[in-house]
Amino acid sequence: MTHSISAKQTHTKIILMGEHAVVFGEPAIAIPFGAVTVTATLTESPTDPTIDCAFYKGLLTNTPDVVASLYHLVSLLDQDLNTTDNSLALTITSTIPPERGMGSSAAVAAAVTRAYFNYFDTNLDDHTLRYYLDESEKIAHGSPSGLDALMMVINHAVLFQKPDHFISIPKMPNGYLVVADSGQTSQTKTAVAMIKQKYDANDAETMASIAQIGSLVKEATHAINQEDLHTLGSLLTANHEELKKLGVSAPIMDALQEVALQQGALGAKLTGGGMGGCMIALADTNESALKIADALKALAKEVWVHPLKEDL
Ligand code: PMV
């Protein structure tokens, strides 16, 4: 009988505030997002090793650049788990829109790593899993903060700071997040590289925006502790303005944000790497969230409504 093993990553992440600045040591707040999942399945391959995913179907040795991080991860796992006697077919099925700032690459890497360890009957602790995710994310993103990798092993909201300082946020306020997929791919690697270049050149506006995002996140932590949704909303919008100044928004992201605000969102911003991807909007009631979601559907590819305080 053909040996087949599947592993699932049952959630991904939404960065509430602090993306990009987090790469440069500022804090960020992220929450788990369980509306989308990814499954990796390994079976014996009758041919040489293969990969079947949204971007590529074929021999592992011929993988295009778009799946370079996956190729790197699989090579590393093959080497560490000493799989040379096995030829494996890896299939990835995902409901996570890829390249939309939802941490899809980290979620895929988590499912693949788990599938490999299960297939070779080897115990996998969170620390080891995060090592593989970081390795894969370095190829996907250049210089990742580590936040995406952390969120794959955590099922509640966190305040994170590089390199590995994180505290749980035990009590999120009673609100709703509307998450709208613009349908346009985010450009995390390009965006991170662009900001890094300006940071390394000590560009005054870039330094000011990074520091300002850090301050906004600290204020947001206070607003969350006070269960003050209205202040949190304004901080989200202010965070979007700084991301715009950093050059990582896009006309579609600004248009989605504007619709959300017009429809009564308490605040709204892009989430993740930007230049496309997803926009999040904060609403105080489910009714208001549904109204915002309805209006966003005219512009967005897909829209989810997610309780802010839901732990997975
Ligand atoms: O685009 P995503 O979901 O991979 O999120 C990237 C978040 C950044 O802060 C821009 C980069 C990072 O490594 O934290």
Side-chain angles (χ1 to χ4, degrees):
M1 202 179 72
T2 312
H3 186 39
S4 176
I5 290 283
S6 291
K8 195 168 187 166
Q9 173 65 27
T10 53
H11 69 270
T12 180
K13 64 94 227 255
I14 296 286
I15 299 179
L16 195 63
M17 288 182 62
E19 54 274 271
H20 284 294
V22 69
V23 174
F24 303 96
E26 296 295 341
I29 300 168
I31 61 168
F33 185 64
V36 286
T37 62
V38 53
T39 302
T41 304
L42 284 171
T43 20
E44 286 160 33
S45 168
T47 63
D48 283 342
T50 56
I51 290 189
D52 183 349
C53 66
F55 293 107
Y56 172 74
K57 186 176 159 106
L59 289 176
L60 177 66
T61 45
N62 294 345
T63 47
D65 248 17
V66 66
V67 286
S69 61
L70 195 54
Y71 176 77
H72 175 69
L73 175 66
V74 168
S75 307
L76 200 60
L77 289 164
D78 279 337
Q79 178 192 307
D80 293 357
L81 294 171
N82 201 7
T83 67
T84 38
D85 291 343
N86 298 265
S87 184
L88 296 174
L90 169 63
T91 305
I92 295 160
T93 48
S94 176
T95 60
I96 308 172
E99 300 184 337
R100 299 295 208 289
M102 274 194 190
S104 164
S105 57
V108 168
V112 170
T113 306
R114 289 198 178 105
Y116 262 83
F117 273 74
N118 289 349
Y119 194 93
F120 292 99
D121 225 357
T122 309
N123 191 39
L124 176 66
D125 57 38
D126 284 354
H127 182 76
T128 310
L129 175 58
R130 282 179 64 195
Y131 159 75
Y132 286 104
L133 302 190
D134 280 335
E135 283 300 311
S136 159
E137 289 290 279
K138 275 183 212 160
I139 306 290
H141 287 179
S143 44
S145 64
L147 177 57
D148 282 18
L150 171 70
M151 289 311 289
M152 297 307 125
V153 301
I154 277 207
N155 57 4
H156 50 76
V158 289
L159 177 69
F160 170 87
Q161 199 157 10
K162 230 174 134 176
D164 195 24
H165 179 69
F166 61 95
I167 51 171
S168 304
I169 302 178
K171 220 169 58 166
M172 289 301 278
N174 255 327
Y176 292 83
L177 265 196
V178 183
V179 181
D181 175 6
S182 67
Q184 292 185 13
T185 53
S186 63
Q187 316 279 332
T188 305
K189 196 172 183 170
T190 308
V192 169
M194 179 192 72
I195 296 175
K196 186 169 184 313
Q197 204 178 21
K198 291 199 237 168
Y199 181 90
D200 289 345
N202 216 1
D203 174 68
E205 216 187 318
T206 302
M207 302 314 244
S209 281
I210 289 173
Q212 178 61 10
I213 291 174
S215 303
L216 294 171
V217 170
K218 284 173 205 147
E219 282 181 59
T221 311
H222 185 68
I224 288 169
N225 288 338
Q226 301 293 310
E227 300 197 40
D228 180 353
L229 269 188
H230 285 260
T231 302
L232 182 61
S234 335
L235 292 166
L236 253 67
T237 304
N239 191 162
H240 184 80
E241 286 311 307
E242 296 304 326
L243 290 166
K244 256 169 100 168
K245 287 187 204 161
L246 286 173
V248 297
S249 191
I252 180 73
M253 308 315 293
D254 298 339
L256 288 166
Q257 189 221 26
E258 211 177 298
V259 169
L261 294 175
Q262 273 164 6
Q263 294 299 318
L266 303 177
K269 64 182 274 292
L270 69 84
T271 183
M275 295 179 150
C278 287
M279 191 275 318
I280 55 172
L282 185 65
D284 49 359
T285 63
N286 191 34
E287 196 188 359
S288 163
L290 292 173
K291 182 178 169 226
I292 297 163
D294 260 357
L296 287 170
K297 278 176 193 157
L299 280 185
K301 186 166 182 221
E302 204 168 351
V303 182
W304 299 264
V305 171
H306 183 72
L308 196 56
K309 79 188 314 177
E310 187 180 71
D311 284 353
L312 300 171

